[in-house]
Amino acid sequence: MENNQTNTGNVTVDIAYRRKKNAEEMRHQVITFTLMIFLTIVAFVAVGAGMSGWFTVPFILLLAAVQVAFQLYYFMHMSHKGHEAPALFLYSGLLVGLITILAFVTIVWW
């Protein structure tokens, strides 16, 4: 009987731990979602304020890159253990895409 009580105690502790971790993760997701909405509003304000295109386009691209990072790490759970292989493929694809864009820009520039 004592083993059953010990197991029940461990299960209770495990459930409490999972609830705490889930609540913490949900808090991070809500904060990230709020930040993404804020960044979207900032992008709309930058366009609506009539700023120069030389400032607005890179600024919006920067905001988009920040939002992609938030999406990947918080909503796609890339920060969790066990996601090393998808992260490797994602970053490899990003590197190939950046090199391709750089090559095209270089060809057009010359």
Side-chain angles (χ1 to χ4, degrees), residues 44-100:
F44 275 109
V45 168
V47 171
M51 296 181 184
S52 127
W54 291 104
F55 171 77
T56 305
V57 171
F59 183 67
I60 289 176
L61 290 175
L62 175 69
L63 292 177
V66 170
Q67 286 190 1
V68 165
F70 280 150
Q71 292 265 338
L72 290 175
Y73 280 100
Y74 288 105
F75 292 126
M76 300 301 288
H77 306 287
M78 294 296 280
S79 61
H80 293 166
K81 290 182 181 178
H83 290 142
E84 291 83 15
L88 174 68
F89 287 117
L90 181 77
Y91 295 135
S92 298
L94 181 66
L95 180 64
V96 168
L98 287 175
I99 290 172
T100 303

Side-chain angles (χ1 to χ4, degrees), residues 6 10-11 14 17-18 28 36-37 40 46 53 55 63 72 79 83-84 93 96 99-101 103:
T6 303
N10 288 340
V11 169
D14 187 46
Y17 174 76
R18 287 178 190 249
H28 286 291
M36 286 191 303
I37 295 296
T40 302
F55 171 77
L63 292 177
L72 290 175
S79 61
H83 290 142
E84 291 83 15
V96 168
I99 290 172
T100 303
I101 290 171

Side-chain angles (χ1 to χ4, degrees), residues 4-18:
N4 288 340
Q5 290 175 351
T6 303
N7 287 340
T8 304
N10 288 340
V11 169
T12 305
V13 169
D14 187 46
I15 290 173
Y17 174 76
R18 287 178 190 249

